[in-house]
Amino acid sequence: MPVECQEPPPPPLRPHRVVALVAPDQELYPVTSASAVFGYHGPDIPQHYSFRLCAERPGSLPTTLGVPIQVDDGLEALGDADTVLIAGWTIAPSPAVLHAVSRAHARGARIIAVCAGIFIPAALGLLDGRRASVHWELSGELAARHPRVVLDDTVIYVDHGDVATAGASAATIDLCLHQVLQQHGAAHAMRIGRQLAAGPHREGCQRQYPPLPTAGPMPDSLAPLLEWLLGRLPDQITVEDMAAFSGVSARTLSRQFAAQLGVPPARWLLERRLAATRALLEETDLPVETIATRVGLSSAVNLRRRFHTALRTTLPPTAAPSADVSARGTWPARRISTCIRPFSGE
């Protein structure tokens, strides 16, 4: 009788190789965030990725944490990388780094640039004529050096497939989970995110949240007035009131503010009120109506309008009964990181 020939089982799929290119004085947060997404998650979650580090000069590298990391691989590790993660960098990458990243991209590797890491694909021309997420603090320098890049300092990441950019270190997990979602589906990405206790996945179109300006250094000539204003935020104060306190005319006071602080008096006061609003949202459970009164914006309606105009974000409803954002889609009023929703144009 004929003997049945059993076909050998297919060989296991090779893990997708992620190589993080690091540099001296490396910030560790984006590196550890990427390794948390692409690393080992235990026997119950399929291992689709491998993760390793490389550097232009391997060895012991200093970090911003104050302790060094040991990197054993050099730039040759990019030769077989499927994804190259550039987790921050200096503004002027060396020719060797540019050459290695360019070769990796040319053979099909995906480039992920986080925060200042964007200077490498920008220097290679990979972002010319393309939109890129850039940290708002870097946008001026990047625009000056690489004017052909279409900068967006509002969204948390932009993905073109072959090149993806994340404006801030905190968006590393979002962008890495986005890659997992694209390659292995939402269910697998959710399992990893749940294991990491990460928040609900944020899409790239969500807005960065630059901080409101603080009081900063006070010019000597204006210091008494500015301190007086900071102590009276709940009060309704006009420019004429400020001028009377300073013993000058309203026009003279406006000229002093413009020359020394770069903004009109009313604008400076509004920025202080919005900064105080943010602090109260972060640190207290006060309802929006109460906060509006405390910072001198009179009503929740006015506070929402001012906040929206300044930051293009919306505040939650005055009553936010649940702290379970993922379950009900409501927004707790306790912390600004959860209670300020990304502006969606409504």
Side-chain angles (χ1 to χ4, degrees), residues 15-35:
H16 182 105
R17 289 182 287 245
V18 179
V19 179
L21 175 59
V22 297
D25 299 319
Q26 177 68 49
E27 180 190 359
L28 290 182
Y29 181 79
V31 179
T32 56
S33 294
S35 69

Side-chain angles (χ1 to χ4, degrees), residues 7-308:
E7 294 185 3
L13 294 177
R14 177 181 64 81
H16 182 105
R17 289 182 287 245
V18 179
V19 179
L21 175 59
V22 297
D25 299 319
Q26 177 68 49
E27 180 190 359
L28 290 182
Y29 181 79
V31 179
T32 56
S33 294
S35 69
V37 174
F38 295 126
Y40 180 66
H41 298 284
D44 296 330
I45 297 181
Q47 182 69 24
H48 294 304
Y49 299 90
S50 66
F51 185 84
R52 63 195 290 200
L53 304 179
C54 80
E56 182 177 8
R57 295 179 178 84
S60 179
L61 267 66
T63 70
T64 58
L65 187 61
V67 296
I69 56 173
Q70 181 65 31
V71 181
D72 296 326
D73 296 319
L75 294 176
E76 68 277 358
L78 301 184
D80 63 356
D82 300 304
T83 292
V84 176
L85 175 77
I86 308 169
W89 205 259
T90 57
I91 289 177
S94 71
V97 167
L98 293 175
H99 179 67
V101 174
S102 178
R103 289 189 62 185
H105 178 265
R107 62 169 180 76
R110 170 179 167 87
I111 310 299
I112 293 179
V114 176
C115 202
I118 191 177
F119 282 97
I120 291 180
L124 291 171
L126 301 181
L127 295 171
D128 286 356
R130 305 172 88 177
R131 183 164 160 260
S133 173
V134 60
H135 193 281
W136 55 275
E137 288 185 321
L138 299 175
S139 58
E141 181 69 26
L142 192 66
R145 290 178 174 266
H146 305 289
R148 296 187 63 187
V149 181
V150 182
L151 302 179
D152 192 334
D153 60 2
T154 62
V155 297
I156 60 173
Y157 65 79
V158 175
D159 184 15
H160 293 287
D162 63 320
V163 181
T165 52
S169 297
T172 306
I173 286 183
D174 299 291
L175 183 49
C176 292
L177 284 176
H178 169 75
Q179 174 163 334
V180 174
L181 183 149
Q182 295 294 316
Q183 294 180 323
H184 300 286
H188 187 66
M190 288 177 62
R191 290 181 70 185
I192 293 176
R194 188 180 302 117
Q195 189 185 70
L196 300 178
H201 172 60
R202 297 184 296 167
E203 295 296 336
C205 60
Q206 294 193 21
R207 302 187 70 87
Q208 294 179 23
Y209 190 66
L212 289 163
T214 58
M218 295 184 182
D220 290 341
S221 61
L222 292 175
L225 171 62
L226 301 185
E227 291 175 355
W228 180 75
L229 290 173
L230 290 174
R232 289 165 175 77
L233 287 183
D235 301 340
Q236 298 305 308
I237 300 174
T238 65
V239 175
E240 287 71 22
D241 295 330
M242 301 181 202
F245 177 87
S246 300
V248 298
S249 69
R251 180 175 296 181
T252 297
L253 183 69
S254 295
R255 285 200 299 266
Q256 291 175 344
F257 266 75
Q260 299 183 50
L261 295 173
V263 293
R267 180 64 193 180
W268 186 91
L269 181 58
L270 175 60
E271 288 177 350
R272 302 290 77 71
R273 285 171 166 160
L274 292 176
T277 297
R278 180 175 180 178
L280 290 171
L281 287 167
E282 288 179 335
E283 299 166 7
T284 74
D285 293 315
L286 293 172
V288 176
E289 189 72 47
T290 301
I291 291 175
T293 301
R294 286 199 179 188
V295 301
L297 290 175
S298 71
S299 69
V301 172
N302 187 39
L303 173 57
R304 293 175 197 279
R305 180 174 63 84
R306 297 289 190 176
F307 223 89
H308 178 195

